[in-house]
Amino acid sequence: MAEKEARKKRDGNVYSHSRLWLYESCPEFYRLRYIDGIEIEMPIHVSLFLGTVVHSALEWLYHQVKNRPVDLDELIECFKDKWYAEMTLLNGSVRFGNGDEEESFNKGVKFLVDYYMRFKPFKQNVLAIERKIIFPLDTEGKYKIQGYIDRLDYNDEEKVYEVHDYKTNAYPKKQEELDADRQLAFYNLGIKELYGKE
């Protein structure tokens, strides 16, 4: 009980894009999870699992390339190790829709191969990987928004910060979808909080 109260006190006024999305999607589940503090075991859809493992492999890649070159085989091996370790840990709770595990695994490999070929030799001016942002919604700082930017770069030529939010969707978002994306808006506000209001 004390742990539940401590978590409510810690997280009660800190929100995120995913937390708001959960409330909009299912207020009852939100109440159980964030107000009542009840942990509910839910199967994980393979698309979420795939995205998580790809994110983890790319995070590993950018940590490595700060110190040494990484070849494509190493990246795929890292992805494979993380995939099977997580799949074992989740012990059958990953839910597959259309297709199967092999198809999903191969989709992740293709995503990483395409990414590697497009961005090697990884000379971007990376400021942070999995950068936590947090900013107040009110002047007293009682209510806050937090999130994690997959990769934050600084473009010296254009003098702008670049948010890289990895997605494993089949199709990239259209510009109007990006313009209306709440998560990206939160990232923008968080970066202004970190690096200045301009």
Side-chain angles (χ1 to χ4, degrees):
M1 186 63 118
E3 183 184 328
K4 185 169 95 171
E5 289 304 315
R7 190 178 70 214
K8 275 173 73 174
K9 187 173 182 181
R10 184 187 71 231
D11 298 340
N13 297 330
V14 179
Y15 300 91
S16 66
H17 168 69
S18 57
R19 193 165 163 178
L20 294 172
W21 176 87
L22 179 60
Y23 178 77
E24 292 162 349
S25 303
C26 184
E28 180 63 17
F29 189 90
Y30 179 93
R31 183 182 66 77
L32 291 170
R33 172 72 178 86
Y34 290 107
I35 297 171
D36 298 340
I38 298 170
E39 298 288 340
I40 300 172
E41 291 293 325
M42 296 286 288
I44 298 167
H45 193 274
V46 67
S47 59
L48 179 60
F49 178 81
L50 171 62
T52 300
V53 180
V54 166
H55 274 68
S56 183
L58 289 174
E59 184 179 348
W60 174 87
L61 170 68
Y62 277 98
H63 281 298
Q64 296 302 308
V65 296
K66 285 191 284 189
N67 303 309
R68 66 180 184 88
V70 174
D71 65 38
L72 181 56
D73 288 341
E74 282 183 278
L75 177 60
I76 300 308
E77 191 65 26
C78 170
F79 172 73
K80 185 178 94 172
D81 291 346
K82 289 175 182 295
W83 178 280
Y84 290 114
E86 287 297 312
M87 196 61 79
T88 301
L89 191 66
L90 292 169
N91 194 24
S93 65
V94 177
R95 187 181 71 221
F96 294 90
N98 298 328
D100 58 16
E101 182 178 346
E102 183 180 0
E103 186 178 319
S104 299
F105 177 85
N106 289 336
K107 182 179 177 184
V109 169
K110 182 180 182 332
F111 179 90
L112 289 170
V113 168
D114 291 347
Y115 186 94
Y116 185 95
M117 298 310 289
R118 180 174 175 193
F119 293 108
K120 70 174 185 177
F122 309 105
K123 297 296 185 191
Q124 302 96 331
N125 184 12
V126 178
L127 297 178
I129 300 160
E130 285 295 311
R131 178 63 158 101
K132 181 178 180 178
I133 56 158
I134 188 162
F135 60 91
L137 289 172
D138 59 319
T139 52
E140 294 81 30
K142 185 177 177 185
Y143 300 97
K144 297 178 181 173
I145 290 287
Q146 77 172 8
Y148 290 86
I149 298 173
D150 294 335
R151 196 180 90 232
L152 181 63
D153 295 356
Y154 186 73
N155 185 322
D156 288 309
E157 257 180 50
E158 298 183 26
K159 307 294 184 211
V160 295
Y161 295 98
E162 295 178 348
V163 170
H164 295 263
D165 189 43
Y166 306 133
K167 299 293 182 198
T168 52
N169 304 352
Y171 302 102
K173 287 187 175 184
K174 297 176 183 171
Q175 186 59 50
E176 55 267 24
E177 292 175 303
L178 293 172
D179 292 341
D181 189 303
R182 176 174 59 206
Q183 186 176 21
L184 293 178
F186 285 166
Y187 291 161
N188 182 46
L189 293 169
I191 290 168
K192 286 180 179 177
E193 188 71 21
L194 281 172
Y195 296 107
K197 305 291 183 184
E198 296 176 18

